[in-house]
Amino acid sequence: MSSDVPQGFEDRLRQRTSTRNSNTLETIPVNHQPHGNIPNTPLAASTISFLLGCLFSLSLTLFITGGISEHWWATYQLAFFLAAWSAFHWGEFAVTAGWNRDKCSVDSFLLDNGAMYHVAHGVALMEYLITLYLKPSLKAHSYVSTIGVIMVVVGQTLRSAAMIQASDNFSHIVAFRKLPSHQLVTHGVYSMFRHPSYAGFFYWALGTQLVLQNPVSSIAYLFVLWKFFSRRIKAEEKALILFFGQDYENYRRRVGTKIPFIR
C-alpha cells in the first residue's frame, strides 16, 4: 500500500493541517478587519446561512400559498417581505464568497449594518402589523404589492449582477486608497447604471415597503435612502476621480445613477 495514504487518525489530522492553506474555509478578509460583533468563523457563517435559508423557505412557501387565512398576521405580504429580507442578506454573503473572496467575512451578510438599519425594518414591520390589525382594508390594494414585488426582484437582480460584474473591484466599504487590482468597470449593468448596486438596493428597499403597503415607511425610506446615497456617491466619486482621472469623468458624464435627482 502506498505510504501517501493516511494510515490512522494522526496521519489524517496531519494531512488535513498540511492542506488547510490551499483549501481553506476561513472567512478572513484582506485589507480590513470585521466589526467583531458576530464571530468571524465558518461555524458562524454556516449557522447564519442555515437560519436565513430556513426563513426564506418558510416565507416563500407562505407567499406562494397566499398566506394563512386563520391567522390575521400570516399574509402573503409579510411572507414576501421576510423572504426578500433573508434572500438579500444571504445573497450578499454568497456573491461576495463566490466573486470577491478576498473581501469575504461574516460581515458580508450585512447583518451588522448599524442599529438604524434594523430599527428601520422593525418600524416598517410595526406599521404593517398595527395597520393590518386595526384596519385591514388599508392593506387590500393588491396591485400596489405587485408593483413592490417587481421592484424587489429587479432591485435584487441589479445589485447582485453589479457585485458579480465588479468582482474584486466591489467593496461594501468605500475605498479611498487605490489598489493595484482596481479597475474601472463600465460594461454590463455598469453601462446603464453608474452605481448599480446602490440603485438596486434603493429600489429593493422601496419595493419592500410597497409590498407591505406602508405609506409612512415608504416616504421615510425614500427620504433616508436618497439622503444616504446622495452623500455616499459624492464622497465615493471624489475618490474614483483620483483613482481613474479623466476616464471616470467621461464615464460619469455618459452614464447616470438612475436614482431620482442624483445625477
Side-chain angles (χ1 to χ4, degrees):
M1 183 177 291
S2 172
S3 60
D4 293 335
V5 178
Q7 299 299 310
F9 173 78
E10 291 185 0
D11 288 340
R12 290 196 298 272
L13 183 61
R14 279 195 295 271
Q15 185 181 63
R16 181 180 298 179
T17 302
S18 66
T19 59
R20 187 181 179 198
N21 291 333
S22 62
N23 186 26
T24 181
L25 290 175
E26 294 298 333
T27 50
I28 302 175
V30 177
N31 297 321
H32 77 273
Q33 291 295 319
H35 296 154
N37 296 322
I38 303 174
N40 186 42
T41 63
L43 176 60
S46 60
T47 301
I48 293 170
S49 293
F50 172 76
L51 294 175
L52 290 174
C54 289
L55 179 60
F56 174 79
S57 299
L58 293 172
S59 300
L60 184 63
T61 300
L62 185 61
F63 170 70
I64 292 173
T65 57
I68 302 175
S69 58
E70 291 81 5
H71 301 288
W72 64 271
W73 52 268
T75 65
Y76 76 95
Q77 296 159 328
L78 180 60
F80 184 84
F81 173 83
L82 294 175
W85 182 86
S86 55
F88 170 79
H89 287 287
W90 178 84
E92 291 292 297
F93 181 86
V95 172
T96 304
W99 285 270
N100 199 358
R101 184 68 177 82
D102 286 346
K103 296 186 181 76
C104 184
S105 74
V106 74
D107 286 353
S108 301
F109 285 106
L110 295 189
L111 289 169
D112 189 14
N113 205 23
M116 293 309 299
Y117 174 80
H118 297 292
V119 168
H121 285 307
V123 169
L125 286 172
M126 286 179 60
E127 178 186 354
Y128 176 75
L129 292 172
I130 291 173
T131 307
L132 181 67
Y133 182 76
L134 295 177
K135 196 158 187 178
S137 61
L138 293 178
K139 302 298 184 183
H141 307 290
S142 59
Y143 68 93
V144 176
S145 292
T146 300
I147 294 172
V149 168
I150 294 171
M151 288 178 63
V152 167
V153 172
V154 171
Q156 180 67 69
T157 302
L158 177 60
R159 181 171 174 86
S160 295
M163 292 173 64
I164 290 171
Q165 289 185 344
S167 188
D168 58 3
N169 293 288
F170 182 87
S171 176
H172 285 122
I173 303 171
V174 175
F176 293 103
R177 181 171 61 89
K178 188 176 186 295
L179 299 176
S181 60
H182 278 160
Q183 296 179 347
L184 178 58
V185 181
T186 60
H187 66 284
V189 293
Y190 286 86
S191 66
M192 299 175 285
F193 298 82
R194 195 164 75 246
H195 293 279
S197 66
Y198 297 163
F201 184 82
F202 181 83
Y203 292 111
W204 176 90
L206 291 181
T208 62
Q209 297 314 298
L210 289 181
V211 169
L212 296 177
Q213 298 180 35
N214 281 346
V216 176
S217 292
S218 293
I219 295 172
Y221 271 47
L222 178 63
F223 174 76
V224 172
L225 287 170
W226 186 90
K227 188 175 181 179
F228 173 79
F229 284 126
S230 178
R231 291 179 175 178
R232 187 177 176 104
I233 287 172
K234 286 179 182 178
E236 184 172 343
E237 291 195 333
K238 288 180 181 179
L240 290 170
I241 290 171
L242 291 176
F243 291 176
F244 303 109
Q246 192 61 43
D247 286 342
Y248 191 80
E249 291 276 20
N250 295 337
Y251 173 65
R252 185 168 67 166
R253 282 193 293 268
R254 188 172 70 252
V255 180
T257 65
K258 307 300 191 296
I259 298 175
F261 307 109
I262 300 180
R263 177 65 183 91

